[in-house]
Amino acid sequence: MQGKRGAASAALAVLLALGAAGCGATDEAPEVPVPPRPAGTGPLTKDVVRADVDGSVAVAGLPRNAEDYGRHSDEGIDAPEGSGFGGSLPGRCLLGLKSFHEESAPVDLSRYDKLLDALREREWQPVGERRNRAYEEVVNLSEQSFRQRGWLLRTDFRLQGERGGVITLNAYDEACVRKSGIRREAP
């Protein structure tokens, strides 16, 4: 049993290294293997979800995570005042990514489409319909949520005028969120 876990851990480490190295490198989608799923039907670990996100970002050719934004994945967050949520969420419950447009790695709707395709390839199931909002026939907002084995993953693309686009992903371990006491307060 230990040998299988060690091999899985080694494969995950290689995948994470490939994902980190490939972010925003070229217009061509790098070959990033889909990580193996743990046996059974229980929830995924945060490491597997992180590998899915990092691998999908690499396939889409997106820039690396904005440094300040990803920090809450490790430290956790307190619900902002006025947000309608009460409580705090430990870092083990969530991970986040925000990818801003760069000249060397543009963030646009076509890269968002590649990102969504890569997530589907990694067994993430869409929740509801994709929602697009357009102004003068140009999509300036697109949102799609996904679920997989205990996690909810929300994604969006926003066009920011001349600054290009930004893609945000937030994943939540739903059981961990419930146990943490973070809740939606009545309006």
Side-chain angles (χ1 to χ4, degrees):
M1 183 75 129
Q2 189 69 339
K4 287 183 182 178
R5 283 189 181 153
S9 295
L12 183 58
V14 169
L15 176 66
L16 289 173
L18 287 173
C23 292
T26 67
D27 279 344
E28 294 297 315
E31 289 295 322
V32 179
V34 176
R37 293 292 176 256
T41 58
L44 296 175
T45 65
K46 183 177 176 179
D47 288 340
V48 171
V49 176
R50 170 56 72 193
D52 279 355
V53 169
D54 289 346
S56 298
V57 164
V59 166
L62 294 171
R64 286 179 172 67
N65 195 6
E67 191 171 320
D68 290 340
Y69 193 81
R71 189 175 54 235
H72 74 261
S73 293
D74 298 322
E75 298 173 5
I77 58 170
D78 290 320
E81 192 164 323
S83 68
F85 288 89
S88 63
L89 199 53
R92 71 179 179 276
C93 294
L94 69 146
L95 64 91
L97 177 128
K98 191 167 279 236
S99 189
F100 290 96
H101 177 86
E102 295 177 1
E103 290 303 317
S104 61
V107 174
D108 55 24
L109 194 58
S110 68
R111 291 196 193 240
Y112 182 65
D113 291 338
K114 287 179 186 177
L115 174 71
L116 299 185
D117 290 343
L119 288 167
R120 283 186 205 93
E121 185 175 319
R122 288 161 172 76
E123 300 178 16
W124 287 88
Q125 301 300 311
V127 175
E129 296 293 319
R130 180 173 169 178
R131 192 178 76 133
N132 291 317
R133 184 182 68 196
Y135 177 73
E136 294 183 358
E137 299 182 30
V138 174
V139 174
N140 58 15
L141 172 67
S142 187
E143 300 172 311
Q144 178 69 64
S145 294
F146 295 88
R147 274 208 165 90
Q148 184 179 177
R149 291 178 58 178
W151 283 79
L152 174 65
L153 174 64
R154 295 176 189 243
T155 70
D156 68 62
F157 163 79
R158 294 176 189 273
L159 187 59
Q160 298 184 318
E162 292 178 16
R163 294 184 298 171
V166 61
I167 291 176
T168 306
L169 291 92
N170 288 299
Y172 307 92
D173 178 333
E174 295 179 291
C176 185
V177 169
R178 282 191 299 277
K179 286 179 189 174
S180 298
I182 198 165
R183 66 198 176 284
R184 179 78 169 135
E185 298 171 348

